[in-house]
Every structure is written in C-alpha cells, then in structure tokens.
Amino acid sequence: MNTPNIAKEEIINAFKYRHATKEFDPTKTISEEDMKFILETAHLSPSSFGFEPWHFIVVQDKDLRESLKPVAWGAPLKLDTASHFVLGLAMKAPMVKYDSEYITHMMKDVKQLPKDVIETYARLYREFQERDFNLDNDKKLFDWASKQTYIALGNMMTSAALTGIDSCPIEGFHQEKAEALLKEKFGVDTDKYGLSFMVAFGYRKADPEFKKSRRNFDDIVTWK
C-alpha cells in the first residue's frame, strides 16, 4: 500500500471550498463511480473498537424522498435538488451492547480474532461501557453509536469536496416521526437502528453568498 502524497494545499483548498449547500443544480448528477467512492470512505472510516455501528441508506426513489419532507424540515429543498441523498443510521442497544450477537459476530467473523483475544476484547469492551463511559441505558448507547457515524459523515463530505462534489449535512428532522417513517416506508428495524443524520450530495446551483467564517485559529487551539 502506497503512502499518501496529497498536497496539503489541495486538502485545505477542499475544506475552504466545502460549504453546506442549500440548493443543488438538479440537472447535474454524480456518477455512480464517484458516489461509490464517497460511500467507500464511509465504509473505511474508523469507529470505536472497530465495531462499525452504522448503516447508510441512499434514497434515490422520488416517492420516498417526498415522504421524508414532512418529518425533515431542514431537507425539502435538498430532497428536490440533490443528486444523492443519504440517511445515516446508528445502531441501538440490542446491536452494540457488549453481549450482543452483533458484537460477537464482529469479533469472531469479521475481525476473525482468536478465542483468547476475543475474551480479552470482550472484557475491555464491557469495562468501557460499564465503567469508563457509563453507557448504562439504551439512549446512552445509541448516542455513543451516533458519535461514530459522524466520523463517517465527515469523511464522506471531505472526500466529496476533494473531488469537487458538494454536500450538506442535515439534522433538521423530527427523530421519532422520522424513525416511524423509516419503519413504515423503508423497512428499517427501528428496534435495532435509529436515524443519526441525513446528508445530501450534488453540485451547487450557485456559489455561497457569504465568505466562510471561523473563529481565529489561536482561539480554538491550545498548545501545552
């Protein structure tokens, strides 16, 4: 595997170029190759203990997009104009609790860890949940899993920007109503998965009206 050698200037330029695109050009479509590339960066994203507590639904069906509008006040214009629209799901307690079938499957079948390593890994993961982060109820476990999905979200938006593709992350939705819709219309088992975020991808209809603003670098970084 080759060591990456991407010019730092190009990476910073992509971060400056990226903005939360409010309206996309509906006449422009992301190629299948480029969209799979973006999703692959989510696939390769890191997660706590490497347990990948996520699933991504790419919503291209017009009727399904339309059904999302009443439960996602921040999404209608993006649903109408984005080339691709992705729902980021986070696993709930039955999937990510230390003694779940999924966690055992990840250690045994995906990571293919030896039995003694599985025993150690499982013990450390249980201590992490019970002692270090006090993940003692379903909401805390879901919130922890949602944090992991945001790593994948950031990587998708960055990889898109690096290739000249725009994006917009969306939290403007009613979680309970949205999950009821996902169960009814999308076939999602909402006992196992909850909605963490929405994100739209496409090509901007126009450049942003305002210059990107950020606090001074020294205001957010402390060296010790």
Side-chain angles (χ1 to χ4, degrees):
M1 188 173 298
N2 296 328
T3 301
N5 188 28
I6 305 172
K8 292 187 286 293
E9 294 81 3
E10 287 299 309
I11 297 173
I12 292 298
N13 180 62
F15 274 85
K16 291 180 177 178
Y17 177 81
R18 189 217 62 78
H19 80 290
T21 303
K22 301 299 185 290
E23 183 176 3
F24 298 89
D25 185 341
T27 68
K28 295 181 179 180
T29 303
I30 300 170
S31 70
E32 181 179 358
E33 178 184 2
D34 284 347
M35 195 62 211
K36 284 185 175 178
F37 157 73
I38 291 170
L39 291 165
E40 181 63 12
T41 65
H43 180 211
L44 293 174
S45 292
S47 58
S48 185
F49 286 85
F51 284 150
E52 306 171 46
W54 49 50
H55 187 81
F56 307 98
I57 300 176
V58 185
V59 187
Q60 298 304 89
D61 182 89
K62 289 184 178 180
D63 290 337
L64 288 177
R65 284 198 184 191
E66 196 67 27
S67 72
L68 286 167
K69 290 181 180 179
V71 300
W73 56 266
L77 190 55
K78 278 76 107 179
L79 286 163
D80 284 338
T81 62
S83 170
H84 289 70
F85 196 88
V86 178
L87 305 178
L89 307 185
M91 292 182 179
K92 293 184 176 181
M95 298 287 281
V96 295
K97 195 173 180 181
Y98 64 84
D99 57 354
S100 72
E101 291 184 7
Y102 172 77
I103 295 301
T104 300
H105 160 70
M106 286 296 297
M107 291 189 293
K108 181 179 178 182
D109 303 319
V110 178
K111 295 181 177 297
Q112 298 184 350
L113 300 175
K115 184 178 179 181
D116 60 326
V117 176
I118 288 176
E119 292 174 355
T120 300
Y121 216 66
R123 176 178 57 78
L124 291 172
Y125 185 52
R126 179 173 182 171
E127 290 175 354
F128 168 80
Q129 289 192 346
E130 293 185 337
R131 181 192 65 194
D132 299 338
F133 271 66
N134 191 29
L135 303 176
D136 57 359
N137 61 53
D138 290 358
K139 185 181 186 305
K140 286 183 179 180
L141 284 165
F142 174 71
D143 289 345
W144 170 80
S146 290
K147 289 180 182 179
Q148 314 310 310
T149 70
Y150 272 68
I151 300 173
L153 171 63
N155 286 342
M156 284 193 289
M157 292 192 298
T158 299
S159 63
L162 284 164
T163 52
I165 295 171
D166 292 298
S167 63
C168 185
I170 300 161
E171 286 186 316
F173 57 84
H174 189 290
Q175 192 165 42
E176 184 178 347
K177 292 179 180 179
E179 289 188 13
L181 179 68
L182 292 183
K183 182 176 182 178
E184 177 187 355
K185 298 283 189 180
F186 291 75
V188 174
D189 185 343
T190 53
D191 289 331
K192 294 181 178 180
Y193 292 91
L195 183 60
S196 180
F197 64 80
M198 300 176 177
V199 59
F201 294 97
Y203 296 94
R204 64 188 67 183
K205 185 176 181 179
D207 287 331
E209 296 181 11
F210 304 101
K211 182 180 179 181
K212 188 186 293 286
S213 61
R214 292 292 187 273
R215 288 186 289 157
N216 291 329
F217 183 86
D218 290 340
D219 290 339
I220 67 163
V221 177
T222 300
W223 300 78
K224 294 291 188 181

